[in-house]
């Protein structure tokens, strides 16, 4: 029956006039038919097939035929065809395997995976390989002689069933994908309205309809359909947003929605569909869609799946919105909180208009005191008043957030968000509980222009600027500068590294001998802390001591140095250096710690170090702060027998009488003045004055940083009794120190 190679035109010529020449390009008549494509180069097969199947109807849907008379023509037609349920395909056409190649084309190139394919061939012996049947998802393989009218009928019926099932499976898979996408988008959208609107567009997409519909939520304590509000509306219904359903001027819609909610079922009308989404105890949802025609069974089933899944989604959205409110909004002021501000900042930074934007942190001065003095309730009212004023006085083109107890974040254009405008809001008193309360605020600002960090970084930087502003003065402001941030972040990194180094024993103490200038013999040593990092580099104490002070680690660290030095002192005494003094640096932070004296006594007691041979070095700047406390503390220290030196002497401006009151034992001439003495030929230098001062007050004097012989000689000539410096010895580890004492120490 099949003629292997015949051009398509020939077949058309031989067509029986009584058979209606099928118009292969006739548009598909919607979703109401099963479309069957016949591809065969034998016109008789076409007519025989349409005759055999012509009055087949499945689920009230008739068949519609498409005809192609060659593989080439089929390819052409398939370009614009979708929704073909069954393809009856001749294997041998232009080529021996034209049909099989066409199958590959249908499945792979056109991506038509749902259409069922029934292969037909005239030659009984000519069977395609099993592989091809499996690989290309071919439904059936029949020789033409096998396909009697009845056989053809049952084969096509089975194929349509199978097509329908595949469609349903794929459709619900798509539905599930939609739900997955919906919930992902939901996270991004955050908000019931957005989600609900998404539901409508997705259903419309699923049914290949224009989004024409609305979704309403029923909020009720009881089970009546009261409080039915539209929360999403698309297409014609857009104007109905947030309207009570009862106000909708279309009884058909109102009735359909209520029926769906009441019966808790989907309602499929002739030209509309009302869907029910079972919510939790307090909420049910219903959607109305203008479908224009009744939905077929697949679409209906699909919607059932969709609705039950979406219900979970809607419930989650409600939950998520509520959680969202908790997570992102401050419950007191209802303003976005810190987390939300970071998000907004992130969006701003990613967007095009970050350039002019400024983030300001506005901190209410002395809020904690006010809160303590007048109570939390008053404090809350105060915060509300500040929030309200900032919100009303500034434009609405900015974001106001509450980022901390008494700190607000203001994000917006620099024209609006600047210290002058913000601080102006605090000039007038706030009226709280009938009282006028005058407040002031401090502002830290960061410009988002060219900002590279994240939203969180920007907030951190604004925080840094705020702290800086507070340090300087209250009711002031400070703009963040890059160096500030690097500085602080670097310090934080170093703080962690220092802590780790201390815990892992990578800190150690070295000792730098101190010399009697008259005899050039060692009389003691200064204990100096060292940090050798894992890669072997040394970090200067000038860098890490301030960090240890800043982080409080200095308390532990300082005690440890004291113990090490005292233990070493005891060991040195054990091997005969009984006149040896040990100088220990004490930081201001350590000194001010309430347990300092206790710690010092404990160290002396535990190590058995003789206090008379222990000296504490405190800096001159430290000696100048809180004089009366210091005088008292120094007296207590002196009672233990420990002596005191003033380090870096000459850099501060201690008054003489104060120095006398402090009852210190030794002055340490700062290295800067020692370096100076060789430069100035003139006799009177600061070093000289310090030496004289020491003599007049009866204090010992030591010059530090003596690097060359000339300096040593001048100092000796000026009557400086002691010196320390690279000329005599560098700071050394314990073992080296012992060696040095044996040889150079010339004991
Ligand atoms: P400082 O107390 O003034 O210590 C003297 C510093 O001068 C030491 O630096 C020492 O190595 C250095 N030096 C000694 N002789 C010479 C010299 O001839 N020429 C020059 N150019 N430098 C000399 P280092 O060890 O780097 O210590 C720096 C600062 O770190 C110390 O200044 C002290 O303020 C602090 N520091 C060191 N160890 C401790 C400690 O255990 N506790 C506390 N609180 N501070 C410490
Ligand atoms: Ca020192
Ligand atoms: Ca010094």
């Amino acid at each position: 029956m099949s003629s292997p190679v015949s051009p398509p035109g020939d077949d058309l010529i031989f067509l029986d006039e009584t058979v209606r020449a099928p118009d292969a390009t006739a548009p598909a008549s919607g979703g109401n038919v099963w479309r069957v494509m016949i591809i065969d180069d034998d016109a008789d097969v076409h007519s025989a097939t349409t005759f055999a199947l012509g009055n087949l109807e499945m689920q009230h849907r008739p068949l519609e035929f498409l005809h192609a008379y060659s593989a080439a023509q089929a390819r052409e037609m398939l370009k614009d065809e979708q929704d073909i349920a069954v393809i009856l395909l001749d294997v041998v056409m232009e080529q021996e395997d034209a049909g099989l190649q066409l199958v590959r084309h249908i499945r792979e190139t056109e991506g038509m995976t749902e259409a069922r394919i029934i292969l037909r061939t005239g030659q009984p012996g000519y069977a395609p390989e099993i592989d091809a049947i499996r690989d290309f998802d071919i439904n059936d393989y029949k020789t033409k002689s096998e396909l009697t009218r009845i056989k053809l009928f049952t084969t096509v019926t089975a194929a349509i069933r199978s097509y329908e099932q595949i469609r349903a499976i794929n459709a619900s898979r798509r539905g599930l994908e939609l739900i997955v996408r919906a919930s992902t988008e939901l996270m991004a959208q955050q908000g019931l309205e957005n989600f609900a609107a998404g539901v409508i567009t997705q259903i419309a997409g699923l049914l290949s309809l224009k989004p024409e519909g609305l979704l309403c939520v029923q909020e009720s304590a009881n089970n009546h359909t009261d409080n039915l509000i539209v929360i999403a509306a698309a297409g014609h219904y857009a104007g109905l947003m947030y309207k009570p359903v009862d106000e909708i001027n279309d009884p058909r819609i109102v009735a359909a929605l209520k029926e769906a909610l009441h019966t808790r079922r989907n309602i499929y009308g002739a030209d509309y569909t009302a869907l029910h989404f079972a919510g939790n105890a307090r909420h049910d949802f219903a959607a109305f869609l203008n479908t224009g025609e009744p939905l077929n069974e697949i679409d209906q089933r699909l919607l059932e799946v969709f609705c039950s899944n979406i219900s979970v989604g809607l419930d989650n959205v409600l939950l998520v919105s509520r959680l969202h409110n908790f997570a992102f909004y401050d419950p007191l002021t209802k303003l976005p909180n810190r987390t939300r501000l970071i998000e907004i900042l992130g969006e701003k930074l990613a967007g095009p208009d970050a350039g002019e934007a400024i983030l300001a942190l506005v901190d209410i001065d002395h809020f904690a005191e006010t809160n303590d003095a007048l109570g939390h309730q008053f404090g809350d009212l105060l915060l509300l008043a500040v929030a309200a004023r900032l919100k009303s006085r500034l434009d609405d083109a900015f974001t106001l957030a509450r980022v901390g107890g008494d700190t607000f974040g203001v994000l917006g254009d620099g024209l609006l968000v600047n210290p002058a405008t913000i601080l102006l809001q605090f000039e007038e008193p706030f009226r709280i509980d009938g009282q006028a309360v005058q407040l002031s605020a401090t502002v830290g600002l960061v410009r988002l222009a060219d900002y590279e960090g994240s939203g969180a970084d920007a907030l951190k930087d604004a925080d840094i600027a705020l702290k800086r502003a507070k340090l300087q003065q209250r009711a002031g402001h400070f703009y963040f500068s890059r160096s500030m941030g690097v500085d602080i972040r670097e310090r934080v990194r170093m703080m962690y590294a220092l802590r780790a180094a201390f815990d892992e024993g990578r800190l150690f103490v070295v000792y730098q001998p101190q010399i009697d200038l008259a005899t050039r013999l060692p009389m003691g040593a200064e204990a100096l802390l060292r940090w050798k990092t894992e890669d072997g580099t040394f970090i200067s104490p000038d860098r890490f001591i301030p960090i240890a002070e800043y982080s409080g680690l200095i308390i532990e660290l300082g005690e440890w140095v004291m113990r090490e030095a005292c233990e070493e002192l005891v060991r040195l005494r054990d091997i005969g250096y009984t006149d040896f003094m040990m100088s220990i640096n004490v930081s201001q932070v350590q000194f001010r710690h309430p347990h300092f004296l206790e710690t010092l006594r404990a160290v002396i007691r535990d190590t058995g170090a003789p206090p008379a041979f222990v000296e504490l070095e405190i800096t001159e700047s430290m000696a100048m702060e809180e004089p009366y406390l210091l005088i008292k503390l120094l007296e207590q220290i002196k009672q233990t027998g420990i002596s005191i030196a003033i380090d870096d002497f000459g850099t501060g401006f201690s008054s003489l009488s104060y120095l006398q009151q402090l009852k210190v034992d030794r002055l340490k001439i700062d290295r800067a003045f020692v370096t100076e003495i060789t430069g100035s030929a003139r006799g009177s230098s600061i070093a000289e004055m310090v030496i004289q001062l020491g003599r007049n007050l009866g204090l010992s004097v030591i010059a530090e940083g003596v690097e060359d012989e000339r300096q040593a000689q001048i100092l000796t000539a000026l009557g400086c009794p002691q010196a320390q410096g690279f000329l005599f010895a560098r700071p050394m580890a314990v073992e080296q120190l012992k060696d040095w004492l044996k040889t150079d120490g010339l004991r």
Side-chain angles (χ1 to χ4, degrees):
M1 267 170 36
S2 96
S3 43
V5 191
S6 61
D10 291 356
D11 292 297
L12 286 167
I13 293 164
F14 287 107
L15 273 177
D16 188 339
E17 291 300 311
T18 59
V19 178
R20 183 177 58 90
D23 182 359
T25 58
S29 42
N32 305 336
V33 295
W34 301 113
R35 310 184 75 212
V36 176
M37 187 175 199
I38 303 166
I39 307 171
D40 204 305
D41 57 0
D42 186 341
D44 288 347
V45 173
H46 285 261
S47 43
T49 308
T50 46
F51 177 69
L53 301 173
N55 55 7
L56 174 65
E57 210 176 72
M58 284 180 68
Q59 285 143 9
H60 311 293
R61 286 165 77 178
L63 303 192
E64 185 187 84
F65 296 99
L66 294 115
H67 298 271
Y69 295 90
S70 69
Q73 191 192 3
R75 273 170 210 253
E76 219 28 61
M77 287 167 65
L78 286 169
K79 275 186 196 159
D80 328 295
E81 291 298 343
Q82 289 295 319
D83 293 336
I84 294 174
V86 180
I87 298 174
L88 290 160
L89 177 58
D90 191 11
V91 176
V92 183
M93 289 181 287
E94 294 100 313
Q95 295 91 30
E96 294 239 309
D97 63 344
L100 281 179
Q101 282 187 19
L102 188 58
V103 173
R104 182 193 291 272
H105 177 83
I106 291 167
R107 295 288 190 232
E108 292 180 353
T109 312
E110 293 298 336
M112 294 173 69
T113 53
E114 292 172 344
R116 299 298 83 213
I117 298 177
I118 298 165
L119 281 179
R120 296 197 289 191
T121 177
Q123 288 115 316
Y126 195 90
E129 281 123 44
I130 287 293
D131 282 358
I133 293 183
R134 191 191 56 221
D135 290 351
F136 294 117
D137 184 19
I138 291 165
N139 245 59
D140 226 332
Y141 172 75
K142 293 277 176 339
T143 61
K144 289 184 184 174
S145 55
E146 267 182 282
L147 283 176
T148 60
R149 190 172 171 226
I150 298 292
K151 260 278 177 56
L152 187 62
F153 195 92
T154 51
T155 305
V156 170
T157 307
I160 289 177
R161 279 249 151 73
S162 154
Y163 168 75
E164 193 190 12
Q165 280 162 357
I166 288 170
R167 282 263 304 185
I169 290 164
N170 284 347
S172 51
R173 199 194 59 220
R174 272 197 296 274
L176 289 175
E177 278 164 9
L178 274 178
I179 292 149
V180 169
R181 199 174 339 124
S183 50
T184 327
E185 273 171 22
L186 154 99
M187 291 307 153
Q189 285 174 339
Q190 278 152 357
L192 185 58
E193 284 84 352
N194 287 335
F195 186 82
V199 169
I200 294 188
T201 35
Q202 277 151 8
I203 292 174
L206 203 65
L207 304 180
S208 311
L209 298 168
K210 264 202 267 164
E212 276 292 326
L214 53 86
L215 193 136
C216 64
V217 60
Q218 170 189 255
E219 273 193 82
S220 58
N222 46 35
N223 248 347
H224 299 296
T225 51
D226 50 350
N227 240 347
L228 209 49
I229 305 286
V230 176
I231 53 165
H236 277 100
Y237 307 110
L240 298 175
M241 194 66 183
Y242 298 124
K243 276 228 165 103
V245 165
D246 282 326
E247 285 178 24
I248 297 175
N249 218 349
D250 185 338
R252 190 182 58 135
I253 298 178
V254 180
L257 285 170
K258 288 191 172 174
E259 190 186 347
L261 283 168
H262 183 71
T263 59
R264 306 180 68 81
R265 286 196 307 111
N266 292 350
I267 311 295
Y268 300 103
D271 57 352
Y272 69 89
T273 297
L275 303 173
H276 169 253
F277 304 90
N280 58 21
R282 293 187 54 242
H283 299 92
D284 264 354
F285 302 88
F288 178 89
L289 290 141
N290 215 5
T291 50
E293 58 186 47
L295 295 186
N296 65 40
E297 209 182 303
I298 300 180
D299 286 343
Q300 291 187 12
R301 249 186 282 161
L302 171 57
L303 281 180
E304 309 283 341
V305 176
F306 188 79
C307 289
S308 59
N309 284 291
I310 273 306
S311 296
V312 177
L314 282 164
D315 259 359
N316 286 342
V317 176
L318 277 184
L319 193 69
V320 168
S321 335
R322 223 168 290 143
L323 288 176
H324 176 258
N325 282 339
F326 278 120
F328 293 97
Y329 292 89
D330 166 43
L332 175 69
T333 59
K334 306 282 182 279
L335 293 173
N337 63 11
R338 189 180 193 91
T339 314
R340 179 68 190 125
L341 181 64
I342 288 173
E343 269 189 3
I344 296 172
L345 276 168
E347 286 159 20
K348 192 100 187 166
L349 284 167
D353 55 343
E356 297 308 308
I358 287 187
L359 168 67
L361 288 186
V362 184
D363 190 275
I364 305 171
D365 297 335
H366 307 293
F367 180 78
E369 289 97 308
T370 312
N371 215 16
D372 286 347
L374 300 171
H376 287 275
Q377 240 169 336
F378 192 84
D380 283 355
L381 291 174
L382 237 157
L383 288 170
L384 285 169
V386 172
R389 173 151 330 154
L390 287 175
K391 202 145 188 87
S392 68
R393 298 285 177 83
L394 299 168
D395 209 74
D396 29 68
F398 78 103
T399 304
L400 180 65
R402 184 177 174 209
V403 297
D406 58 344
T407 311
F408 293 91
V410 188
L411 172 68
D413 194 278
L415 286 176
L416 186 75
V417 182
N418 57 58
T421 315
I422 292 169
L423 293 176
L424 187 70
Q425 310 312 318
F426 289 86
E427 282 191 354
E428 239 176 81
F430 292 81
R431 287 215 76 83
I432 287 134
D433 239 5
Q435 296 190 58
V437 181
Q438 184 64 58
L439 293 177
S440 71
T442 305
V443 187
L445 306 101
V446 60
R447 294 185 178 87
L448 299 190
D450 312 320
Y451 202 85
E452 274 159 24
S454 65
D457 288 336
L459 192 57
K460 225 181 276 166
D461 288 346
D463 242 338
I464 290 169
L466 178 63
K467 289 218 178 72
R468 199 56 81 86
K470 277 200 232 169
L471 268 184
Q472 292 208 323
Q473 88 212 86
R474 302 262 182 179
H477 72 272
F478 215 90
Y479 276 96
F480 174 81
S481 71
R482 199 153 292 186
S483 60
M484 236 157 94
V486 170
D487 185 5
I488 289 194
R489 265 172 237 150
E490 172 67 27
R491 269 197 256 165
V492 169
R493 220 170 294 134
M494 198 185 264
M495 183 181 89
Y496 284 113
L498 179 61
R499 170 92 248 178
F502 181 47
D503 291 344
E504 289 156 21
R506 267 180 276 117
L507 298 183
F508 59 99
V509 180
V510 291
Y511 301 90
Q512 184 176 33
Q514 297 179 334
I515 307 295
D516 181 333
L517 269 178
T519 61
R520 298 272 174 126
L521 285 177
M523 37 172 301
E526 177 181 5
L528 293 161
L529 191 55
R530 289 293 174 266
W531 175 10
K532 191 179 180 183
T533 61
E534 269 170 315
D535 60 17
T537 51
F538 282 97
I539 296 177
S540 161
D542 283 327
R543 285 183 67 205
F544 72 78
I545 294 286
I547 286 162
E549 289 175 336
Y550 179 80
S551 63
L553 184 61
I554 193 73
I555 303 297
E556 251 177 281
L557 207 53
E559 180 182 343
W560 178 77
V561 172
M562 277 199 290
R563 272 181 200 280
E564 285 284 303
C566 287
E567 281 168 4
E568 205 44 54
L569 175 68
V570 172
R571 280 194 284 267
L572 285 169
R573 293 177 69 82
D574 287 349
I575 56 169
Y577 300 101
T578 46
D579 292 335
F580 205 81
M581 287 284 300
M582 185 61 78
S583 291
I584 302 165
N585 291 287
V586 175
S587 132
Q588 161 159 273
V589 178
Q590 253 178 298
F591 214 65
R592 279 201 189 155
H593 193 271
H595 295 155
F596 177 75
L597 197 65
E598 232 172 88
T599 306
L600 183 66
R601 288 193 183 120
V603 168
I604 294 296
R605 190 181 58 232
D606 297 348
T607 58
F613 292 90
V614 176
E615 179 189 62
L616 301 183
E617 293 190 7
I618 62 171
T619 58
E620 188 184 8
S621 56
M622 187 161 118
M624 287 170 64
E625 277 182 38
E626 299 173 77
Y628 298 103
L629 276 178
L630 186 70
I631 292 167
K632 195 159 172 257
L633 181 59
L634 288 184
E635 262 170 18
Q636 289 173 307
I637 292 172
K638 290 216 64 175
Q639 277 166 18
T640 65
I642 291 171
S643 52
I644 309 283
I646 295 191
D647 208 350
D648 305 336
F649 193 79
T651 54
F653 304 91
S654 322
S655 75
L656 279 183
S657 65
Y658 182 46
L659 261 183
Q660 272 177 307
Q661 280 183 299
L662 283 182
K663 300 207 183 76
V664 297
D665 303 278
R666 185 152 79 150
L667 304 179
K668 245 185 140 170
I669 305 173
D670 192 71
R671 177 156 57 91
F673 306 121
V674 172
T675 314
E676 208 178 58
I677 51 172
T678 42
S680 69
R682 286 162 288 118
S684 120
S685 61
I686 290 177
E688 190 182 354
M689 281 160 49
V690 175
I691 294 163
Q692 278 171 9
L693 183 67
R695 199 180 296 137
N696 293 344
L697 294 175
L699 306 176
S700 181
V701 174
I702 181 167
E704 69 178 344
V706 180
E707 291 182 349
D708 58 47
E709 188 54 44
R710 232 170 89 70
Q711 291 168 343
Q713 301 215 331
I714 296 173
L715 287 165
T716 314
L718 290 172
C720 179
Q722 299 153 5
Q724 175 183 351
F726 293 171
L727 172 66
F728 311 106
R730 295 205 167 233
M732 295 175 283
V734 182
E735 289 313 310
Q736 269 177 290
L737 174 71
K738 284 179 188 156
D739 289 346
W740 182 87
L741 284 175
K742 257 184 249 157
T743 54
D744 304 64
L746 295 173
R747 188 179 172 265

